[in-house]
Amino acid sequence: MPGLIIGDQHDDLTSAVQQIILSSSESDYLDQLIPLLRNAHTQTQVTPLIHALNHVSADREAEIERICNTNHQEFISSVQQLQSVREGTVTLTSEIMELSRSIEASTEKLAEQKKALVDSRGVRQNIDDATQALKDCLEVLRLANQVHDLLGKKNHYAALRALDELQNVHLREVTRYKIAEMIERSVPATQGLIAEAVMTDLNTWLYRIRETSQFLGEVAFYHTEMRRARQKERAANDEYLATAKLNSPVELVADEVEEFDVLNNDEVQVDFSPLFECLHIHDALGQTDKFRSDYAATRRRQKDLLVPQTLDLLDEESAGLSSLLEGIAGFAIVEKATMAKTENFRAQTDVDELWDSMCQSAIALISSALPKVTNDDALLKIKGVIALFIQTMDSWNYPVTALDGLLLTLFEKYSNVLKTRFSEDFTEIVNTDDYMPMPIANAEEYTRVLSVSFYTPPPNPETGLEERAEDLEYPCVLPFSQMYPLVCIDIRNFLTQIYLFSDDQYFRHTTVIDNTLKEMLDDLLMNNFITLLTDRLKSQYPGQIVQILTNLDHFEAACSDIEDLLVSARSSSSAAGPISLRATTAFTTAKTQAEKRVFELVNSKIDDLIETAEYDWLSTYVPEGVSLYMQELTRYLQNIMTSVLMGLPYTIKDMMFYTALEHIGENLLSLPLDPEIIKISSQAAEAYVMDVGHIVSFVEGLDEADRPQVLLEALEELRQTTDLITLAAEGKGEMFFDSSIAGPRFGKVDKLKGAELLEKVEARRSLTAMGSVGGLGGGSGLSPTMAGGGGFEEGHAKKASTTLGDFRDRFGQFGRRG
């Protein structure tokens, strides 16, 4: 079994060896040998293979030897030939080898050259590629540098366009290079540089705008002043245009021919290009909202810088206020222009908010500084600046309602300052007046007094016409004191200065001016002037009181002219109807007080004189002349007629003298009616009648101009009473009780008083006839006090209440003296 295996294996190896031998190449040989070697795992397995190879080799040698032995000569020849061929082959091989070496050398050189050529072509291609890449990168770098150059030249928009072109066009061509990535990373930073640079320029522009705002406002104010002047000139030439206010449609149309650009003129030019460029660049960068908010914040900060912490309104030129309002005006004009020149950039609410804030700050600043201003001229200048500011901003369609309120506050301050000043003037006029009729030296002075006062001279009694200044004789006197024209001048000045607040300037609240003027004028006259005059009524000098009364009468008459003046000067076109001053009634009341005071002083003097009367009602002799007290009394009446009462208007003068005579009559009548007097002798009655007759004769002897017939009515009761006493002394007293006689003759005599006097005189006459003399009359020589008795006090109190109105009611039929 082993031998069989070996035998089989031998046969296999033999066949394998045969195949190896028959292989055409070494590779085939190895292909046959490798499986055998792979399967020969042990030495015992390799040995048969070796034996098989040896066996095959031996067979081949045996066959060769056999062949050689058979063809030996031919073999030798063949060997020689083979050797010869071999030699030739060796020679050829040498030559071939030499040629091969030569070819190999040439081939190496050619390969080197070809390699060099290939390398040079690659290098050249690389150079070309590098050159092109370098060109592309250089172009990118050039554009990047161009962006910075344009940025340095402040061509911000061109720089942004170049950067956009660089990013969207040129960088795409060099994306494979690292420089593209570097530049791409630098684009946002460059955009930031552009945005920062344009914002820097914008901030510079905003700073210049802030510095220019005041001058811009000044130019705008000047333009408004020119419009005012042109409108005033048009109003002077055309009544219709006179009703048109500044900034009204009519005025705007009429002024169209005068073109003026506040933002671009010979004085100031405001270029909005930096703003437009900045807005455009931020729009291109997609940062419009951010830029809008940053710009708004910057303008708010600039707005805060416009308003100072304090304001001095005491400057005569109002420079501080002008600077403040000019700055606000320029700032607001720029805001309006920005809105008009851009679209959806500045919101209306933002602009209105800035305007309201500036207005409120300015109003607060002005209001806080206003209490220090106490000069009306300074207030007018302040009002002029504010009015100019309002009219300027109104032309730019800014709301000015809050500023209207400031003008109202300013007018209230102005009117109070005027009121204080004129109140001081009135006090000085009252305190420095001489309370004497005003002397006039010449016609020029007379005309000047008439022009400033509300006095109308009485007509000439002969012609009935008002006398011309040239026809009067100088020097002359006017009935009022110098107080009257001075106060009239002050009233006119007060009216003029009140209306100066709205004269030819902006002020919408004209009704407030009209009402304030009336109320303040009333208050000045009532609570200042009239009060001062009534305080002067405490004087003990009748002449001074009479002059005050004369002045009050003229002021009362002047009130009507003042009311007409207020109506004609009224600034409100919508107001209508008459104006009534409460001062008219106050003057009337003050006149009544003055009249009472004159009554008191005159009657007091009359009482003092009558109290000196010393009648011996039981006297048995008749005095030779009129009593001394009666002489003094008539002399006093003459004096007051020719001096004290001379300056009074005729009606008041007549009333005064009439009342004085009436008071004299009552006091004289009270003397014999004294309850302590029981009997009156006929001699005493005759003396009494003589004294009464003296005063009656005095009145009757007055000039017709004094109308003695009217004045005698004041003594009528006294006259009829003395007539009754005379009849009683003659024993004819019964006639008093005869109605047919007593009615016409004793109608004014009180029945009880008449009967009492008859009883006293008749009783004394009866006693005299019976020879009973002395001791029954209750004493002779009455004291002055007793002579006056209670009748004087009663009469004094009664006549002190007599007024001019009562006199006019009773004697109005006589009219005013011609």
Side-chain angles (χ1 to χ4, degrees):
M1 191 66 178
L4 180 56
I5 294 173
I6 295 173
D8 293 338
Q9 184 178 9
H10 181 267
D11 291 338
D12 293 335
L13 291 173
T14 300
S15 60
V17 169
Q18 288 296 328
Q19 292 178 358
I20 292 170
I21 293 172
L22 292 177
S23 298
S24 60
S25 64
E26 293 180 357
S27 61
D28 294 338
Y29 169 79
L30 292 174
D31 290 340
Q32 297 297 325
L33 184 59
I34 287 172
L36 295 176
L37 293 176
R38 183 181 293 128
N39 294 327
H41 297 294
T42 63
Q43 184 65 34
T44 57
Q45 291 175 338
V46 176
T47 300
L49 176 59
I50 294 174
H51 287 310
L53 289 175
N54 290 334
H55 180 71
V56 172
S57 177
D59 288 344
R60 291 293 184 227
E61 287 180 355
E63 185 176 358
I64 289 170
E65 186 177 356
R66 183 180 57 78
I67 292 172
C68 287
N69 289 331
T70 304
N71 298 305
H72 179 71
Q73 192 61 38
E74 295 176 358
F75 178 73
I76 293 298
S77 300
S78 297
V79 169
Q80 291 177 347
Q81 289 178 354
L82 288 172
Q83 187 174 4
S84 175
V85 171
R86 183 178 180 183
E87 289 177 356
T89 302
V90 170
T91 302
L92 289 174
T93 301
S94 299
E95 290 178 356
I96 290 170
M97 291 299 293
E98 185 67 24
L99 180 61
S100 177
R101 283 195 295 272
S102 175
I103 292 172
E104 184 179 357
S106 298
T107 302
E108 289 179 356
K109 185 176 181 181
L110 180 63
E112 289 178 358
Q113 291 177 351
K114 183 177 181 180
K115 182 179 179 182
L117 178 61
V118 171
D119 291 342
S120 65
R121 286 180 178 176
V123 170
R124 183 176 179 180
Q125 182 64 39
N126 290 338
I127 291 174
D128 291 341
D129 293 342
T131 300
Q132 185 62 38
L134 185 60
K135 287 181 179 180
D136 295 339
C137 293
L138 287 175
E139 180 65 16
V140 169
L141 288 174
R142 184 187 68 79
L143 289 175
N145 291 331
Q146 183 182 15
V147 170
H148 290 278
D149 291 340
L150 291 173
L151 191 59
K153 295 177 181 179
K154 297 187 180 301
N155 293 331
H156 305 119
Y157 183 68
L160 186 63
R161 290 291 301 273
L163 183 63
D164 183 68
E165 181 181 355
L166 173 66
Q167 182 181 15
N168 296 322
V169 178
H170 297 281
L171 281 183
R172 293 182 179 180
E173 298 175 358
V174 293
T175 52
R176 60 186 179 277
Y177 305 118
K178 193 171 183 64
I179 190 173
E181 181 181 353
M182 294 173 61
I183 293 178
E184 183 70 30
R185 287 199 303 268
S186 70
V187 166
T190 306
Q191 288 177 341
L193 289 176
I194 294 174
E196 182 179 351
V198 76
M199 281 301 296
T200 300
D201 285 354
L202 181 66
N203 289 332
T204 303
W205 178 77
L206 287 173
Y207 174 77
R208 291 174 180 171
I209 287 294
R210 184 170 70 85
E211 293 296 316
T212 310
S213 291
Q214 181 180 344
F215 185 60
L216 177 62
E218 183 179 350
V219 172
F221 283 11
Y222 175 77
H223 175 55
T224 303
E225 285 281 12
M226 293 300 99
R227 288 176 57 202
R228 279 181 179 176
R230 290 193 294 268
Q231 176 60 20
K232 186 176 182 179
E233 182 179 355
R234 286 191 292 266
N237 298 328
D238 191 334
E239 293 182 359
Y240 175 73
L241 292 178
T243 60
K245 301 294 184 181
L246 206 67
N247 296 324
S248 65
V250 174
E251 186 273 334
L252 292 175
V253 171
D255 204 62
E256 282 182 344
V257 293
E258 302 290 341
E259 294 185 0
F260 183 82
D261 187 356
V262 175
L263 296 167
N264 188 14
N265 51 75
D266 295 338
E267 301 294 334
V268 62
Q269 296 84 34
V270 179
D271 183 12
F272 285 86
S273 299
L275 174 62
F276 298 153
E277 182 181 26
C278 192
L279 181 61
H280 193 61
I281 287 177
H282 280 84
D283 183 52
L285 293 175
Q287 299 177 1
T288 304
D289 292 339
K290 180 179 180 299
F291 172 60
R292 184 185 295 113
S293 61
D294 290 345
Y295 182 87
T298 302
R299 291 299 279 171
R300 282 193 294 271
R301 288 193 297 271
Q302 287 189 331
K303 177 264 297 180
D304 295 334
L305 295 175
L306 283 174
V307 183
Q309 295 297 321
T310 58
L311 180 64
D312 182 16
L313 295 179
L314 300 178
D315 182 12
E316 292 183 359
E317 301 299 327
S318 300
L321 178 62
S322 296
S323 299
L324 170 64
L325 297 184
E326 286 168 358
I328 292 176
F331 185 94
I333 288 172
V334 170
E335 285 297 301
K336 278 289 185 180
T338 303
M339 284 186 59
K341 294 177 181 293
T342 58
E343 184 177 356
N344 298 327
F345 176 60
R346 295 292 286 152
Q348 182 68 49
T349 54
D350 291 341
V351 175
D352 290 343
E353 181 182 354
L354 288 176
W355 168 251
D356 291 339
S357 177
M358 289 188 294
C359 286
Q360 293 302 326
S361 298
I363 290 171
L365 203 58
I366 294 171
S367 299
S368 62
L370 201 56
K372 298 180 181 178
V373 183
T374 58
N375 182 273
D376 54 292
D377 289 335
L379 289 171
L380 277 180
K381 290 180 180 179
I382 293 171
K383 186 266 172 181
V385 175
I386 296 175
L388 187 61
F389 173 66
I390 292 176
Q391 287 181 322
T392 301
M393 303 319 296
D394 188 38
S395 65
W396 286 86
N397 296 322
Y398 274 105
V400 293
T401 305
L403 296 169
D404 284 343
L406 175 61
L407 285 184
L408 278 176
T409 302
L410 193 63
F411 174 69
E412 182 180 357
K413 172 72 174 180
Y414 175 76
S415 57
N416 287 330
V417 168
L418 283 181
K419 181 180 177 182
T420 301
R421 181 161 69 84
F422 280 94
S423 176
E424 293 172 354
D425 287 350
F426 286 162
T427 302
E428 183 178 0
I429 290 171
V430 171
N431 291 335
T432 58
D433 193 66
D434 57 3
Y435 295 96
M436 296 290 290
M438 185 175 182
I440 300 296
N442 49 54
E444 181 182 357
E445 185 177 347
Y446 179 81
T447 303
R448 186 165 60 250
V449 170
L450 292 186
S451 65
V452 299
S453 62
F454 302 100
Y455 173 66
T456 302
N460 188 305
E462 297 180 359
T463 63
L465 301 176
E466 181 179 335
E467 290 185 329
R468 296 181 303 175
E470 298 81 4
D471 299 334
L472 297 176
E473 294 183 4
Y474 299 97
C476 64
V477 293
L478 295 176
F480 43 77
S481 66
Q482 64 181 0
M483 170 196 301
Y484 178 71
L486 291 177
V487 171
C488 290
I489 291 173
D490 268 3
I491 290 173
R492 293 181 185 273
N493 288 340
F494 183 71
L495 183 146
T496 301
Q497 293 193 355
I498 283 289
Y499 280 116
L500 275 178
F501 198 85
S502 64
D503 184 27
D504 208 17
Q505 294 185 17
Y506 176 89
F507 190 71
R508 292 178 178 175
H509 307 281
T510 53
T511 304
V512 174
I513 291 184
D514 297 334
N515 295 336
T516 300
L517 173 61
K518 176 185 175 300
E519 292 300 323
M520 285 197 168
L521 186 57
D522 256 337
D523 191 57
L524 278 172
L525 293 175
M526 294 173 59
N527 298 331
N528 294 95
F529 180 66
I530 295 177
T531 301
L532 291 171
L533 281 182
T534 52
D535 287 342
R536 288 275 175 171
L537 295 178
K538 299 175 183 178
S539 171
Q540 298 297 321
Y541 300 101
Q544 184 175 1
I545 305 301
V546 168
Q547 189 60 59
I548 292 175
L549 178 58
T550 303
N551 291 346
L552 288 171
D553 183 67
H554 284 88
F555 281 120
E556 180 187 26
C559 282
S560 177
D561 295 329
I562 296 174
E563 289 170 354
D564 294 339
L565 183 62
L566 292 177
V567 171
S568 62
R570 191 157 46 191
S571 59
S572 176
S573 58
S574 60
I579 292 178
S580 178
L581 289 175
R582 292 179 288 116
T584 305
T585 305
F587 277 119
T588 303
T589 304
K591 276 180 58 180
T592 302
Q593 294 179 15
E595 292 167 6
K596 290 181 178 179
R597 183 58 180 162
V598 174
F599 295 156
E600 289 176 2
L601 292 177
V602 173
N603 293 344
S604 176
K605 181 63 175 178
I606 291 173
D607 293 342
D608 291 341
L609 291 174
I610 293 177
E611 284 179 358
T612 63
E614 295 183 354
Y615 286 107
D616 182 3
W617 296 106
L618 300 177
S619 175
T620 58
Y621 68 93
V622 178
E624 296 180 357
V626 179
S627 301
L628 183 61
Y629 89 93
M630 184 57 67
Q631 295 178 17
E632 292 293 332
L633 181 59
T634 54
R635 188 178 299 113
Y636 173 72
L637 292 177
Q638 181 66 34
N639 288 337
I640 65 172
M641 284 287 291
T642 57
S643 61
V644 177
L645 303 181
M646 181 61 69
L648 287 174
Y650 294 123
T651 306
I652 298 178
K653 178 181 176 182
D654 292 346
M655 183 267 294
M656 289 288 182
F657 200 58
Y658 181 91
T659 305
L661 292 174
E662 197 173 36
H663 183 68
I664 291 173
E666 291 179 356
N667 282 354
L668 289 177
L669 187 59
S670 66
L671 293 179
L673 291 174
D674 189 339
E676 296 186 5
I677 299 175
I678 301 174
K679 301 177 180 64
I680 300 175
S681 66
S682 59
Q683 292 82 0
E686 186 175 350
Y688 177 75
V689 171
M690 183 188 306
D691 289 342
V692 172
H694 178 74
I695 192 169
V696 172
S697 299
F698 167 75
V699 175
E700 291 175 340
L702 295 175
D703 294 336
E704 286 297 325
D706 293 323
R707 290 185 285 190
Q709 297 303 319
V710 176
L711 298 177
L712 284 173
E713 292 188 10
L715 299 174
E716 188 62 27
E717 183 179 3
L718 181 62
R719 290 171 60 191
Q720 292 183 9
T721 301
T722 56
D723 188 18
L724 178 60
I725 292 175
T726 301
L727 289 177
E730 296 175 354
K732 301 177 182 179
E734 67 276 1
M735 295 177 62
F736 178 70
F737 301 103
D738 187 348
S739 60
S740 61
I741 299 175
R745 190 170 181 178
F746 307 111
K748 295 290 186 179
V749 180
D750 183 84
K751 300 301 182 182
L752 295 179
K753 292 179 180 179
E756 182 180 354
L757 287 173
L758 285 175
E759 182 179 355
K760 291 181 179 183
V761 176
E762 289 287 344
R764 179 59 183 167
R765 190 178 65 83
S766 300
L767 289 174
T768 302
M770 295 171 60
S772 301
V773 181
L776 301 176
S780 62
L782 297 176
S783 68
T785 305
M786 296 300 293
F792 160 70
E793 295 295 338
E794 181 182 358
H796 178 74
K798 177 181 179 183
K799 299 318 294 177
S801 63
T802 305
T803 64
L804 177 60
D806 299 331
F807 179 78
R808 284 175 175 164
D809 292 340
R810 295 171 62 184
F811 300 100
Q813 68 271 22
F814 292 99
R816 193 168 187 177
R817 184 170 309 159

